[in-house]
Amino acid sequence: MSSNLVLLIHCPDREGLVASVTAVIRRFHGNVVDLDQHVDAERGVFFMRVAWNPAADDEESVTRFRNAFVTEVATPCSMSWRLERSSRRPSLAILVSKYGHCLYDMLARWESGEWAVDIPLIVSNHRDLEPVARRHGIHFEHVPVTAATRVDAERTQLRLLREAGVTLTVLARYMQIVSPAFIDAMGGNLINIHHSFLPAFAGGSPYHAAHARGVKIIGATSHYVTAELDAGPIIAQDVVAVSHKDSVEDMVRKGRDLEKIVLARAVYAHLQHQVLVYDNRTVVFD
């Protein structure tokens, strides 16, 4: 069976959008295997994800579909859209510092075949996790970062990512703020994970501060990275309950477990082309 093509769309809502899109697919002898849509009634915006098996997915056939879709549907309907090919295996790089819980989880999902990706590169500002990369046969690069060397360090990181052919970069508890120039170079393909204690419990010991305050839930958030710190479009979030019985160590353990799960959900949704970004928000299709 031919590989799926996936079309992601958003545009002003109007009558007949689903029929217009599927009519073009049908004319190219495509068999729709999944279709999901959402209308933001407040803003009047239509969102859609449709996956189908084309009769042929060679470059010439896909180009002809693109041209027809632009002329007949996308332009008349003022659509923002992108077409993805599921047959293309993504290449993922991981940026990490000293905390290894998210890294270990991602490598397990990759190694087990749960994620159909290649992981050619791990980059870190510390050497602590270099043995992990070596055990998995993944190239590791140590790129130290200080305030004085940040520009050169990011230039080196971008070169490494480019040479490795990376299409998605994940900040797996990478404890550095990346610059707007670095973010722009990623073209929206940069995902971060962090605990959700901010802004209430900022600083280097958020779990201690949260424990002292007696919080009853711990949260984690995974989002696309934008120039505004920790304010990019959210892909996945979750919470877990804590109580007076939990020590700081218990809270840290629960928080790290949650970070692994939330990051994995976000990365998987991205890899499956299920995420559509609009106005600093996301529509995440099931």
Side-chain angles (χ1 to χ4, degrees):
M1 181 178 293
S2 299
S3 300
N4 285 353
L5 294 176
V6 180
L7 186 63
L8 291 142
I9 296 165
H10 70 81
C11 65
D13 190 30
R14 60 188 286 182
E15 183 180 346
L17 287 169
V18 173
S20 298
V21 172
T22 55
V24 180
I25 294 172
R26 175 66 185 89
R27 201 169 74 252
F28 280 78
H29 306 287
N31 178 38
V32 173
V33 295
D34 186 68
L35 190 153
D36 198 358
Q37 66 180 88
H38 169 69
V39 175
D40 185 332
E42 183 178 338
R43 301 185 183 200
V45 181
F46 172 85
F47 303 91
M48 182 178 179
R49 178 188 186 273
V50 56
W52 74 96
N53 290 326
D57 66 351
D58 57 276
E59 289 297 337
E60 182 180 353
S61 299
V62 173
T63 298
R64 287 194 294 110
F65 172 83
R66 286 178 181 273
N67 292 339
F69 184 76
V70 168
T71 302
E72 300 174 27
V73 184
T75 299
C77 296
S78 302
M79 285 183 174
S80 295
W81 64 283
R82 73 178 196 266
L83 183 67
E84 303 285 356
R85 300 177 70 172
S86 297
S87 59
R88 290 180 175 168
R89 189 176 175 93
S91 181
L92 185 154
I94 302 170
L95 268 62
V96 66
S97 291
K98 291 185 176 183
Y99 297 127
H101 54 291
C102 288
L103 174 65
Y104 278 110
D105 184 74
M106 294 175 68
L107 293 179
R109 295 175 190 275
W110 161 71
E111 202 166 45
S112 68
E114 179 181 334
W115 289 356
V117 298
D118 296 320
I119 303 181
L121 179 66
I122 296 172
V123 180
S124 179
N125 55 326
H126 299 281
R127 290 195 176 276
D128 299 57
L129 296 169
E130 184 173 5
V132 179
R134 190 182 306 119
R135 286 199 299 271
H136 289 81
I138 299 173
H139 182 64
F140 180 93
E141 283 282 351
H142 175 224
V143 182
V145 181
T146 66
T149 65
R150 186 176 306 278
V151 172
D152 288 339
E154 288 193 346
R155 188 178 296 118
T156 298
Q157 291 169 341
L158 289 172
R159 176 182 57 79
L160 292 167
L161 296 172
R162 184 173 58 253
E163 290 175 351
V166 168
T167 55
L168 173 66
T169 301
V170 179
L171 307 181
R173 293 311 307 273
Y174 179 64
M175 308 303 288
Q176 292 288 324
I177 297 174
V178 295
S179 72
F182 186 93
I183 295 167
D184 288 344
M186 293 292 97
N189 295 303
L190 186 63
I191 293 177
N192 189 28
I193 181 69
H194 58 78
H195 59 74
S196 294
F197 287 145
L198 297 173
F201 305 113
S205 301
Y207 284 96
H208 291 76
H211 182 267
R213 181 65 179 83
V215 302
K216 301 306 180 190
I217 58 170
I218 292 172
T221 296
S222 186
H223 61 90
Y224 289 114
V225 180
T226 61
E228 187 176 356
L229 183 62
D230 291 335
I234 295 169
I235 311 169
Q237 287 182 303
D238 208 344
V239 296
V240 63
V242 294
S243 75
H244 60 278
K245 296 181 180 180
D246 289 302
S247 65
V248 172
E249 291 74 20
D250 292 329
M251 291 174 63
V252 170
R253 174 179 52 80
K254 290 183 177 182
R256 290 181 178 176
D257 283 346
L258 197 62
E259 288 170 5
K260 292 185 292 186
I261 293 169
V262 171
L263 179 59
R265 290 174 184 165
V267 172
Y268 185 77
H270 179 96
L271 296 174
Q272 295 298 110
H273 312 302
Q274 294 174 330
V275 187
L276 203 159
V277 177
Y278 175 77
D279 196 20
N280 206 49
R281 299 170 64 187
T282 62
V283 173
V284 183
F285 295 102
D286 295 331

